[in-house]
C-alpha cells in the first residue's frame, strides 16, 4: 500500500508539473502578433501620457501589479469595482493602492480597445504597463510574456494573509514569495521597487516611537534618518501624510535602495532586514554595488512574477471594462 501511495504521489506531482508547464507555454512574447500587433506601443503611449500628468503613476502601477499577482495570480482581479464593497480592491491591505495605478490601466485598456476590440486582456495590459513604468523611471527594459486572461473572481476576503507586511522578517518574506514560486533572490530584487514611491507614516511609525521595551527607536535605523522621519511623521501626524521610501533618489528606478539598506536607511522593517539578516546580506551588497546586476535580476523577477496564477482559456475572460466582469 505504501508503495502504491508513493507512486500515486509521484504521478500527481508529475501531472502538476506538466500543467504548470502548459500554462507557461501558453504565455509568449509574441502572443498578439496577429490579433493586436501594436499593443505594446499603444500601452506605452498611454502610460507615458499618464506619467506626464503625475509621477505617482510609476509606483502606483508597479504596486498594483504586485498586489494583483499575489492574490489569485496575475489576472487583473484587483481592478474589479464592487457596488457592495467586497472586491479585492476593497480589502484593508489594498485601500492604500493609489488611484493613479488603476487609472493608468483603465486608460490604456480604452486605447487598446479603440484599435483591437476584445483582443487584449486587462491582465496583460497591467503587466505591460508595469514594465513600462520601470523603463520610464530609468530602469532597464525587459520583454513581457503575454497571453493571460482576466480572472472571474474578486473577493476582499481572499486578500488577507497573501501580501507581505512591513514588519515581516526574512523567513516570513521567503515563505510568502516561495508560495508564488519566487526565490529569495527574486524577492530581494522585487523589493527594489521601493526605490520609487512613498509610504504613509503609519506603516513604519512603530520603528520611531514604540519599537521595544528597551528602545523606542529601532536600533537598526540610522539615527539621522530616524530624526528625519520623526520630523516628517510626528506622533500626531495626519494619516494622509506620506514620505518617500527612498530618501535619496525617490524618482529613479535605480539600485540606491540597496545602498540605503547598507547605510541603515531602509524605511520598513521588511526592507532593513534584507541587509541585517546574514542570509540575505550578500545579495543586497551585490545589488548595491552593481546597478546592472540589479537591473537584470529585477527584470527576471518581474517575468517570474508575471507567471503567478496565470489563467488561460475558459479559466478567464477578456474583459471589455477592466473594472467589471463581462
Amino acid at each position: 500500500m505504501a508503495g502504491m501511495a508513493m507512486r500515486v504521489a509521484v504521478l500527481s506531482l508529475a501531472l502538476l508539473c506538466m500543467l504548470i508547464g502548459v500554462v507557461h507555454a501558453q504565455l509568449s512574447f509574441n502572443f498578439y502578433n496577429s490579433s493586436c500587433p501594436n499593443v505594446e506601443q499603444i500601452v506605452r503611449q498611454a502610460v507615458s501620457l499618464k506619467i506626464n500628468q503625475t509621477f505617482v503613476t510609476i509606483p502606483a502601477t508597479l504596486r498594483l501589479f504586485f498586489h494583483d499577482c499575489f492574490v489569485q495570480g496575475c489576472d487583473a482581479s484587483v481592478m474589479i469595482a464592487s457596488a457592495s464593497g467586497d472586491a479585492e480592491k476593497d480589502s484593508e491591505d489594498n485601500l492604500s493602492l493609489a488611484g493613479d495605478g488603476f487609472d493608468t490601466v483603465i486608460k490604456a485598456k480604452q486605447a487598446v480597445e479603440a484599435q483591437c476590440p476584445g483582443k487584449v486582456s486587462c491582465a496583460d495590459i497591467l503587466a505591460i504597463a508595469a514594465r513600462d513604468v520601470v523603463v520610464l523611471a530609468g530602469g532597464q527594459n525587459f520583454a513581457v510574456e503575454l497571453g493571460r486572461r482576466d480572472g472571474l473572481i474578486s473577493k476582499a476576503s481572499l486578500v488577507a494573509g497573501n501580501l507581505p507586511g512591513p514588519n515581516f522578517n526574512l523567513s516570513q518574506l521567503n515563505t510568502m514569495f516561495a508560495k508564488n514560486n519566487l526565490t529569495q533572490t527574486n524577492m530581494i530584487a522585487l523589493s527594489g521597487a521601493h526605490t520609487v514611491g512613498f509610504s504613509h507614516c503609519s506603516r513604519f511609525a512603530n520603528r520611531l516611537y514604540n519599537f521595544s521595551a528597551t528602545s523606542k527607536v529601532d536600533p537598526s535605523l540610522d539615527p539621522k534618518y530616524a530624526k528625519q522621519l520623526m520630523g516628517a511623521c510626528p506622533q500626531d501626524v495626519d494619516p494622509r501624510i506620506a514620505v518617500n521610501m527612498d530618501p535619496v533618489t525617490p524618482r529613479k528606478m535605480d539600485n540606491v535602495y540597496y545602498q540605503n539598506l547598507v547605510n541603515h536607511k531602509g524605511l520598513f522593517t521588511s526592507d532593513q532586514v534584507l541587509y541585517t539578516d546574514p542570509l540575505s546580506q550578500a545579495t543586497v551588497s551585490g545589488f548595491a554595488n552593481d546597478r546592472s546586476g540589479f537591473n537584470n535580476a529585477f527584470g527576471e523577477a518581474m517575468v517570474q512574477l508575471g507567471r503567478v496564477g496565470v489563467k488561460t482559456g475558459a479559466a478567464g475572460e477578456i474583459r471589455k471594462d477592466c473594472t467589471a466582469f463581462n
Side-chain angles (χ1 to χ4, degrees), residues 71-310:
V71 181
Q72 300 193 90
C74 308
D75 63 356
S77 52
V78 74
M79 296 291 302
I80 293 295
S82 167
S84 54
D86 60 357
E88 276 182 38
K89 67 182 296 185
D90 301 307
S91 72
E92 184 177 353
D93 288 337
N94 282 334
L95 290 179
S96 62
L97 289 171
D100 289 299
F102 294 95
D103 192 47
T104 299
V105 179
I106 290 168
K107 288 181 175 175
K109 172 66 169 176
Q110 291 170 346
V112 171
E113 284 293 302
Q115 295 193 40
C116 311
K119 300 296 184 182
V120 184
S121 67
C122 298
D124 277 346
I125 289 173
L126 175 53
I128 296 169
R131 183 274 313 278
D132 289 347
V133 297
V134 169
V135 175
L136 292 169
Q140 182 169 295
N141 198 3
F142 57 90
V144 177
E145 293 177 333
L146 301 168
R148 304 165 188 79
R149 290 176 77 86
D150 299 320
L152 303 173
I153 298 170
S154 182
K155 295 181 179 179
S157 60
L158 298 175
V159 177
N162 288 309
L163 293 168
N167 297 318
F168 271 22
N169 60 33
L170 184 67
S171 176
Q172 290 170 313
L173 288 168
N174 278 334
T175 297
M176 181 163 286
F177 277 71
K179 283 197 316 183
N180 294 293
N181 296 316
L182 294 160
T183 66
Q184 176 174 289
T185 300
N186 292 153
M187 179 269 292
I188 296 171
L190 290 171
S191 296
H194 287 178
T195 194
V196 291
F198 56 88
S199 171
H200 294 284
C201 297
S202 60
R203 300 284 285 176
F204 55 86
N206 67 301
R207 301 186 70 199
L208 303 175
Y209 302 109
N210 191 32
F211 184 71
S212 70
T214 58
S215 178
K216 288 185 178 182
V217 180
D218 185 343
S220 70
L221 266 175
D222 173 77
K224 290 184 179 179
Y225 183 48
K227 285 184 179 179
Q228 178 184 333
L229 292 175
M230 288 176 182
C233 298
Q235 287 187 280
D236 57 349
V237 68
D238 185 322
R240 293 171 295 183
I241 298 298
V243 301
N244 291 323
M245 288 190 285
D246 176 351
V248 182
T249 57
R251 287 176 171 250
K252 287 186 178 181
M253 191 71 198
D254 55 25
N255 65 330
V256 171
Y257 164 81
Y258 301 99
Q259 295 170 12
N260 292 338
L261 299 187
V262 173
N263 292 320
H264 298 278
K265 294 181 180 180
L267 187 61
F268 303 137
T269 298
S270 56
D271 289 319
Q272 195 58 56
V273 73
L274 301 180
Y275 183 72
T276 57
D277 194 308
L279 296 178
S280 51
Q281 188 177 93
T283 303
V284 170
S285 296
F287 289 162
N289 293 319
D290 183 3
R291 181 172 180 177
S292 177
F294 160 63
N295 284 340
N296 291 333
F298 187 83
E300 291 171 8
M302 285 288 283
V303 171
Q304 191 67 27
L305 174 64
R307 295 172 176 169
V308 175
V310 165

